Amino acid sequence: MHLHSFVLKDVFRRKTKLVVAVLGVAVAAAAIVAVVTTFSAATEGFHEASNKFGANIIVRPEVESIPLVDGYTSMGSLYAGNNYIEESDIPKIYNIKDNASLSIVAPRLYGVAELDGSSIVVMGVDPEQEKQLKPWWNIRGQWLSSEDTGPVEVLVGSDIAGPLGLGKGSMIALSKDDQSLEAKIAGVIESTGGNEDAYIIMPLAASQYLLSQEGKVSSLEVRALCNACPVEDMSQQIEGAFPGLEARAMSQIVQNEMMVVDHTKSSAMAVSIITLLVSTLTVASTMLASVNEKIKEIGIMRAIGASDMQIVSMLFLEGGIIGLVGGSIGFLVGTLASYAAAPMLVSVTPDPMWDVLIPVVAICMLTGMIASLAPARRALGIDPAEVLRSV
Amino acid sequence: MSDNYDVIQVTNVTKSYSLGSGEVEVLHGIDLTVRNGEFVSIMGPSGSGKTTLMNLIGMLDSPTRGSVRINGANISGLSQKELVKLRRKEVGFIFQQFHLIPSLTAYENVALPLVFAGEKNDGAVESAMERVGLSYRMDHKPSELSGGEQQRVAIARAVVMRPKILLADEPTGALDAATGARIISLLKSLAGEMTVIMVTHNRELAGHSDRIIELQDGDVREQGEQQIRINESKMGVIV
Ligand SMILES: Nc1ncnc2c1ncn2[C@@H]1O[C@H](COP(=O)(O)OP(=O)(O)OP(=O)(O)O)[C@@H](O)[C@H]1O
Ligand SMILES: [Mg+2]
């Protein structure tokens, strides 16, 4: 038999007390785990969303624009006004200082054309660059071929393809003012929930022809190479290279949203930590009560050879066990709670954060031990001579 | 060291307790010497200081004045740590109310002093349980044992470390006469191997010991074959 098995037996003998103390810790741990899990999931959701921008810098003329932002996901922008970027200017972007970080530079031309008598948005793209920006698009059919032979190929958003019964291989006739264009559908983009659902996407040259905007692009979608790129710096460098253009780091939008989340997270965390403090008091008072209950027993143990250290370590062990059990239960409950609540609160379903299990349990064990300090002091004050006399 | 040496030497010991504004002197300069292996009974009316004396011998308390020597070592000169060590090794306690730990089985209760001393059980628990005739009750909880059986487990716990001194404060106080007599004969069988000091109010049971020491308010009587001296023992209040 070891000291710790003795402590275990003793702890489990006083089940009701144990349950109260453990619950105190578990509630605090659950609160912390739920906050951490929910908000990490939210943060991750934002990062994913920010990746889905496709570009993290958007370069466009300084004109009034109608940003198409849905929640925290930007779907690009529509521009009012007649300012365009000269296609021939695009290579200048590679003169910026951080040019090594430029991985994708995707020019786009937006405009409105007629299809079967109704207006639709046409987006001209560089097929190669655009494909890298939209890796998550599912295409029924093929991506735009970059070859110039054969008829013009287009991609059609699902909101257009569905009602018109268009599919891979269908031919469509687009027109804008005097211009008209026969195009073959290379593929239909499966619904992304984004604006491209209502777009017709075609090679840049074809769109410039159709929209009568030869040599013009509406915007450049720029993707920096790395995650931690100095996007803000890079946008300033780009603005320097293109006088009259505005380069906007799209992560700003995400950052604003993130700030709101961070604020909420901080207050939720503060509440959790207060809960933890309260639970320390619960554990401390429960253990103090049990020490008071065991005054005689502790006196006996000292009489039969327990040292001060052993008495104290038994109480610390008890506090630690309460923390361990409470922390583990709390982790489980907190994870389940965030699993249930996060979809409603932050529209994401979190995964269990196994990597916080050990820190949380460790914090709870520490809490339990801190809570044992007062009971330990009390226990050390017990004079066996006194206790044994008052049989 | 010969077998016949003084295992306990209490010299001119005074013990007072502070009580509110004044002091209560419980022991007034006691002298007591106990030989190794002796079986000594301490008798006296309630409040005469019997338990106080036992606590001093058991190193649970220290004298206000005078010296208590266990195995020749003056306990007043020992640190708290040394006292714990010496107590583990040299002293076993038995109490009127048995004082077993209720959550532990008989076996575990007996093993507890070994646990505290950090020693492995190399059969000491089993032989102690056998010694008190309870080998068949190892896995019983105290609540599943009779009073007499509980006291025998307590005796096994007191002797498991093979101490030199066994201190029994009214070990039969909570038992019926027949059971009490069994406990006394068990203690008697242990005497010789170790020194047994027993507090009792029962003169007949005390008669089984080698000698009887009487603590009494201002009156000290001694019986038995050996010469002992108790200078004075009485309760007084000095305000
Ligand atoms: N901590 C203390 N403070 C004040 N007085 C005390 C203290 N401990 C013991 N006393 C007093 O010392 C006296 C002797 O107590 P002790 O317990 O040694 O008596 P006893 O002979 O064992 O009595 P009993 O036969 O009832 O067990 C008593 O009057 C008691 O009130
Ligand atoms: Mg007494």
Side-chain angles (χ1 to χ4, degrees):
Chain A
M1 190 171 76
H2 291 282
L3 210 55
H4 58 252
S5 58
F6 167 54
V7 173
L8 276 175
K9 283 194 159 213
D10 189 60
V11 166
F12 286 111
R13 178 169 59 106
R14 291 167 294 116
K15 283 193 192 71
T16 322
K17 286 238 167 59
L18 178 75
V19 167
V20 171
V22 163
L23 276 186
V25 177
V27 166
I32 290 173
V33 169
V35 168
V36 170
T37 306
T38 304
F39 285 97
S40 315
T43 310
E44 220 158 81
F46 281 121
H47 284 315
E48 243 165 56
S50 98
N51 274 344
K52 278 202 176 179
F53 279 135
N56 40 27
I57 300 172
I58 293 185
V59 184
R60 60 196 173 192
E62 281 179 302
V63 291
E64 227 179 295
S65 68
I66 308 141
L68 298 172
V69 178
D70 172 20
Y72 47 77
T73 306
S74 166
M75 305 305 174
S77 307
L78 278 181
Y79 302 95
N82 287 316
N83 291 350
Y84 289 94
I85 302 170
E86 294 297 328
E87 193 178 352
S88 53
D89 281 347
I90 295 175
K92 285 202 287 189
I93 197 172
Y94 293 102
N95 295 336
I96 67 167
K97 184 170 125 273
D98 283 322
N99 57 7
S101 298
L102 294 169
S103 79
I104 303 171
V105 177
R108 286 186 184 160
L109 176 66
Y110 294 94
V112 178
E114 302 269 314
L115 171 63
D116 279 1
S118 47
S119 296
I120 44 99
V121 178
V122 168
M123 179 167 95
V125 301
D126 177 330
E128 295 284 282
Q129 300 283 319
E130 198 65 27
K131 189 173 184 181
Q132 294 179 57
L133 273 183
K134 308 288 186 190
W136 68 92
W137 280 5
N138 287 322
I139 312 275
R140 267 176 279 136
Q142 275 110 41
W143 187 262
L144 302 173
S145 83
S146 36
E147 279 152 44
D148 279 344
T149 57
V152 170
E153 288 190 341
V154 297
L155 293 175
V156 182
S158 56
D159 289 355
I160 297 173
L164 297 179
L166 302 173
K168 175 178 153 44
S170 314
M171 295 299 292
I172 52 172
L174 293 158
S175 63
K176 161 93 182 191
D177 303 333
D178 310 338
Q179 306 286 5
S180 62
L181 185 73
E182 283 279 314
K184 184 180 160 213
I185 294 175
V188 174
I189 305 163
E190 281 181 18
S191 177
T192 61
N195 284 35
E196 53 266 22
D197 284 357
Y199 282 179
I200 290 192
I201 297 167
M202 62 183 68
L204 193 59
S207 67
Q208 288 168 338
Y209 166 77
L210 176 64
L211 302 169
S212 307
Q213 300 290 353
E214 268 84 5
K216 311 273 194 219
V217 300
S218 308
S219 68
L220 293 178
E221 313 267 324
V222 178
R223 164 84 122 200
L225 190 65
C226 44
N227 267 339
C229 279
V231 257
E232 306 289 330
D233 288 358
M234 287 174 70
S235 1
Q236 281 180 10
Q237 293 168 20
I238 293 170
E239 284 183 355
F242 294 92
L245 294 191
E246 174 192 80
R248 189 142 160 251
M250 290 311 285
S251 55
Q252 276 169 352
I253 295 172
V254 178
Q255 272 167 6
N256 287 344
E257 299 259 354
M258 284 294 290
M259 241 156 68
V260 176
V261 172
D262 275 345
H263 274 301
T264 321
K265 182 180 178 178
S266 310
S267 23
M269 208 56 186
V271 172
S272 308
I273 285 167
I274 291 168
T275 317
L276 191 66
L277 292 180
V278 173
S279 85
T280 311
L281 292 181
T282 314
V283 177
S285 71
T286 320
M287 287 183 63
L288 206 55
S290 87
V291 165
N292 283 335
E293 221 169 69
K294 290 194 301 184
I295 283 180
K296 205 171 74 184
E297 239 169 72
I298 291 170
I300 310 296
M301 289 193 282
R302 299 186 80 175
I304 65 173
S307 66
D308 288 1
M309 267 298 288
Q310 285 168 327
I311 298 286
V312 170
S313 56
M314 281 164 72
L315 287 167
F316 270 47
L317 190 57
E318 182 173 339
I321 290 169
I322 290 171
L324 176 74
V325 178
S328 309
I329 294 176
F331 177 82
L332 210 75
V333 172
T335 300
L336 290 176
S338 74
Y339 192 79
M344 288 181 279
L345 292 177
V346 291
S347 351
V348 276
T349 306
D351 289 326
M353 294 187 63
W354 296 113
D355 45 341
V356 303
L357 173 61
I358 287 172
V360 162
V361 170
I363 288 172
C364 290
M365 289 177 73
L366 196 70
T367 304
M369 289 184 208
I370 290 171
S372 334
L373 285 175
R377 256 180 71 105
R378 174 83 185 86
L380 288 185
I382 295 171
D383 177 5
E386 200 80 14
V387 174
L388 298 178
R389 191 192 312 276
S390 52
V391 173
Chain B
M1 207 187 281
S2 99
D3 261 5
N4 193 23
Y5 62 98
D6 294 340
V7 68
I8 299 162
Q9 292 167 286
V10 175
T11 314
N12 198 21
V13 159
T14 302
K15 181 70 192 176
S16 358
Y17 295 104
S18 52
L19 197 70
S21 54
E23 268 203 341
V24 187
E25 193 173 280
V26 179
L27 300 174
H28 320 287
I30 283 193
D31 286 318
L32 168 65
T33 304
V34 180
R35 313 287 293 169
N36 186 33
E38 243 187 312
F39 183 9
V40 177
S41 289
I42 298 178
M43 297 193 71
S46 187
S48 58
K50 304 180 295 295
T51 299
T52 304
L53 180 58
M54 293 288 263
N55 285 343
L56 288 173
I57 296 171
M59 296 175 274
L60 290 175
D61 213 344
S62 51
T64 309
R65 274 187 300 280
S67 73
V68 175
R69 289 173 181 276
I70 304 299
N71 257 343
N74 189 340
I75 65 163
S76 303
L78 299 179
S79 71
Q80 200 58 41
K81 249 187 182 166
E82 289 168 320
L83 279 176
V84 170
K85 270 193 180 160
L86 195 62
R87 190 161 65 227
R88 277 177 188 157
K89 208 166 66 121
E90 306 289 18
V91 186
F93 287 94
I94 304 164
F95 312 96
Q96 181 174 356
Q97 296 299 335
F98 328 133
H99 289 329
L100 299 174
I101 308 289
S103 54
L104 301 182
T105 63
Y107 178 93
E108 289 162 339
N109 264 289
V110 174
L112 208 48
L114 295 170
V115 173
F116 288 134
E119 284 180 15
K120 280 234 145 58
N121 172 25
D122 51 0
V125 177
E126 288 78 0
S127 73
M129 285 296 275
E130 196 166 325
R131 190 69 200 261
V132 299
L134 282 177
S135 297
Y136 61 103
R137 285 285 149 93
M138 294 276 202
D139 298 323
H140 286 59
K141 292 270 177 70
S143 58
E144 298 158 357
L145 297 171
S146 74
E149 285 170 334
Q150 287 184 55
Q151 192 61 300
R152 277 146 71 196
V153 173
I155 293 172
R157 179 178 69 183
V159 302
V160 73
M161 293 286 289
R162 312 200 148 279
K164 287 215 169 54
I165 302 165
L166 188 58
L167 300 176
D169 198 345
E170 299 186 45
T172 64
L175 301 172
D176 63 64
T179 316
R182 258 193 93 179
I183 294 296
I184 298 300
S185 72
L186 183 54
L187 292 179
K188 193 166 182 176
S189 77
L190 288 166
E193 265 172 75
M194 53 189 77
T195 308
V196 179
I197 302 183
M198 171 178 76
V199 169
T200 181
H201 288 289
N202 186 319
R203 189 156 300 279
E204 192 192 323
L205 294 181
H208 291 277
S209 57
D210 300 332
R211 69 183 153 120
I212 299 171
I213 296 162
E214 291 233 359
L215 290 186
Q216 215 168 65
D217 185 27
D219 183 18
V220 175
R221 271 184 296 168
E222 31 190 87
Q223 295 178 0
E225 43 185 74
Q226 289 189 13
Q227 179 63 37
I228 51 135
R229 293 175 300 122
I230 294 184
N231 286 349
E232 198 189 10
S233 176
K234 66 177 180 192
M235 205 186 87
V237 182
I238 305 156
V239 180

